[in-house]
Amino acid sequence: MTQQVLTDEENKNRQVDAKLFTVGPAQMYQHTLEVRRHIVPYFRTPEFSKLMLENKEMLLETMDAADDCEVMFLTASGSGAMEATVMNCFDKEDKLLIISGGTFGERFEKICEIHSIPFTALKLGHDEELTETHLEAYENQGFTGLLVNLHETYTGQLYNVEMLHRYCERNKMFFIVDAISTFLCDEYHMKKYGIDATIISSQKGLCLSPGLSLVVLSRRIIEEKILRNQITSLYFDFKDYLLNIKRGQTPFTPCVGVLFELNDMLRHIIQLGGSEKRVEEVKKRCDYFRKKICGLPVHLPSFPLSNAITPIRFEKDIAMEFFAYLKDEKNIMVNPVGGELGKCSIRVAHIGELCFDDYDILIEEMKHFFQM
Ligand SMILES: *Cc1c(COP(=O)(O)O)cnc(C)c1O
């Protein structure tokens, strides 16, 4: 058996503040770290219920959601929330269209396969932009719902929400959006675009600890789907969450600490002037970085990009080497890419508490690596 125990030195170093240019966990804000210092309290109390109801109100405001939406507070990573949403909203009688332009789109396909929900995948190549022309083939085909990862984090493509909204409206489909890596990074309006379910996760745009995922549901999908569906799951039955949230509670022990972090973060965002202000902040970092990498031997894909990350493509297959160099020599983490694209591509996130100086350091390292 190999030696798995960390040396004292490794143990000391493993959490020493690396700079995180990763999309999640992201570089946390100082005020979140302050919240994390405190003891996690007991939660079946009126005080905690109040915090939860406040969380719900602030989230609906930040997401531009209708007042009669409900929020499911799930203690699960984003994929758990994706699965729970599909299970609760659809069944064998449905016919879903999945925009599948990368590994997150493929995850929706897998979920539907496991739960025997009929679907068709609209497959996109790694450099292919989703357009109206793609959707034309899927008009009036009896689809009941659309599943999309609005920002497909694998490639970095940000799909056109307005185009998808119009398509769903024309075809009278439920519109389910995994907004995990676009919420708080790009503009997001749940009500305006007729979105029936929005899935987000604590460790991405919110820059909190992992463990909390939120599903915001429209009144329409609650009444027409969720309350009518019988599902075979104890932990993920939304009907139970709907009952409990009325009194500001969840059916099971939630990630109490992350819910305190959420309360603090939403208050900060609202004080800042709302989600547009946070999006501006992210966009500034994003624009700064993209402008400064012009002239380096890299290129970006040509489809529309989210402000959350910059998907850098190198001219040679050096991505893994560059990733390891930054991690091991500089304590800087960028996001590697799995699968096929991984050899020549890394992603640099703009969502955490990073400043222009941090990006300058990263760019200097890129230059050093390319010996420019
Ligand atoms: C990060 C992410 C998820 C969730 O991944 P988990 O590891 O389960 O939290 C889902 N969809 C998208 C688009 C993501 O970026």
Side-chain angles (χ1 to χ4, degrees):
M1 215 180 104
T2 52
Q3 181 64 267
Q4 293 289 347
V5 180
L6 295 179
T7 64
D8 285 349
E9 187 62 16
E10 280 169 332
N11 188 38
K12 213 174 95 217
N13 283 340
R14 66 178 163 175
Q15 276 200 317
V16 173
D17 302 340
K19 273 288 172 200
L20 297 185
F21 294 93
T22 45
V23 66
Q27 186 82 17
M28 283 187 175
Y29 282 76
Q30 279 305 319
H31 56 82
T32 306
L33 296 176
E34 279 300 307
V35 175
R36 278 172 64 79
R37 286 177 49 230
H38 297 284
I39 283 177
V40 173
Y42 180 67
F43 68 101
R44 298 287 189 206
T45 62
E47 290 77 13
F48 187 72
S49 292
K50 197 167 164 211
L51 176 116
M52 288 292 274
L53 293 172
E54 232 177 66
N55 279 344
K56 178 186 139 180
E57 290 298 305
M58 291 193 291
L59 187 68
L60 295 186
E61 177 182 342
T62 311
M63 205 172 262
D64 226 345
D67 293 341
D68 58 359
C69 284
E70 277 301 346
V71 183
M72 306 294 97
F73 291 87
L74 304 175
T75 297
S77 88
S79 305
M82 289 165 71
E83 182 168 22
T85 304
V86 172
M87 282 163 68
N88 278 276
C89 297
F90 303 107
D91 62 24
K92 291 186 189 62
E93 307 299 315
D94 283 288
K95 183 177 160 192
L96 305 182
L97 182 66
I98 299 174
I99 309 295
S100 185
T103 52
F104 291 104
E106 283 162 14
R107 195 162 298 172
F108 267 140
E109 291 184 55
K110 206 158 187 182
I111 290 168
C112 288
E113 266 165 28
I114 288 172
H115 295 279
S116 308
I117 296 166
F119 71 93
T120 300
L122 192 171
K123 291 278 196 189
L124 295 169
H126 289 158
D127 284 307
E128 190 178 351
E129 179 178 347
L130 178 70
T131 64
E132 202 76 63
T133 317
H134 289 106
L135 295 175
E136 275 166 18
Y138 303 94
E139 298 277 354
N140 305 314
Q141 306 263 313
F143 286 107
T144 57
L146 177 74
L147 305 181
V148 65
N149 318 90
L150 196 55
H151 170 210
E152 172 50 81
T153 327
Y154 182 67
T155 61
Q157 179 165 181
L158 180 67
Y159 302 125
N160 183 333
V161 64
E162 184 155 11
M163 175 179 84
L164 294 171
H165 158 59
R166 278 189 269 107
Y167 167 76
C168 285
E169 210 174 42
R170 278 198 301 279
N171 289 278
K172 303 194 165 39
M173 293 158 69
F174 287 100
F175 188 14
I176 310 298
V177 177
D178 163 0
I180 292 177
S181 66
T182 182
F183 176 60
L184 294 177
C185 305
D186 310 293
E187 263 190 53
Y188 191 81
H189 305 284
M190 181 153 174
K191 187 174 170 190
K192 179 173 168 193
Y193 294 120
I195 295 162
D196 291 294
T198 299
I199 303 162
I200 60 168
S201 211
S202 54
Q203 80 277 20
K204 300 278 172 85
L206 286 160
C207 307
L208 311 176
S209 311
L212 173 70
S213 291
L214 303 154
V215 185
V216 183
L217 300 167
S218 73
R219 187 50 46 188
R220 174 171 96 115
I221 204 160
I222 292 171
E223 279 167 14
E224 293 178 25
K225 290 298 215 176
I226 292 166
L227 295 178
R228 292 182 190 177
N229 267 0
Q230 281 308 319
I231 75 158
T232 45
S233 170
L234 171 86
Y235 194 75
F236 285 126
D237 192 344
F238 281 1
K239 287 194 276 302
D240 210 356
Y241 288 80
L242 282 165
L243 277 179
N244 274 276
I245 196 61
K246 284 194 181 133
R247 58 184 178 109
Q249 289 284 331
T250 51
F252 313 104
T253 309
C255 43
V256 176
V258 190
L259 288 158
F260 274 87
E261 294 175 28
L262 176 69
N263 193 268
D264 167 74
M265 179 55 83
L266 290 172
R267 280 165 182 261
H268 265 87
I269 290 170
I270 287 167
Q271 264 168 22
L272 204 70
S275 51
E276 305 95 82
K277 292 288 178 213
R278 169 51 61 85
V279 170
E280 260 173 43
E281 203 181 294
V282 174
K283 187 173 188 311
K284 265 187 205 149
R285 293 193 277 257
C286 171
D287 290 348
Y288 181 81
F289 180 72
R290 287 184 193 165
K291 199 164 153 216
K292 282 208 116 178
I293 56 168
C294 290
L296 298 185
V298 298
H299 69 276
L300 306 185
S302 59
F303 46 61
L305 298 175
S306 162
N307 297 314
I309 57 164
T310 300
I312 296 179
R313 307 270 177 91
F314 298 110
E315 283 162 8
K316 295 188 197 130
D317 287 346
I318 55 165
M320 295 315 290
E321 217 181 310
F322 184 53
F323 170 78
Y325 164 75
L326 289 176
K327 177 170 80 65
D328 298 334
E329 309 284 328
K330 302 291 164 184
N331 210 15
I332 290 174
M333 296 292 283
V334 293
N335 240 123
V337 182
E340 235 178 282
L341 270 176
K343 290 182 196 152
C344 65
S345 182
I346 58 159
R347 294 164 298 178
V348 174
H350 309 296
I351 67 181
E353 186 167 47
L354 297 162
C355 61
F356 291 167
D357 286 350
D358 295 321
Y359 285 99
D360 286 342
I361 291 168
L362 179 61
I363 289 161
E364 281 313 305
E365 290 300 341
M366 288 172 77
K367 286 183 182 160
H368 173 76
F369 196 78
F370 299 129
Q371 276 142 15
M372 289 179 77

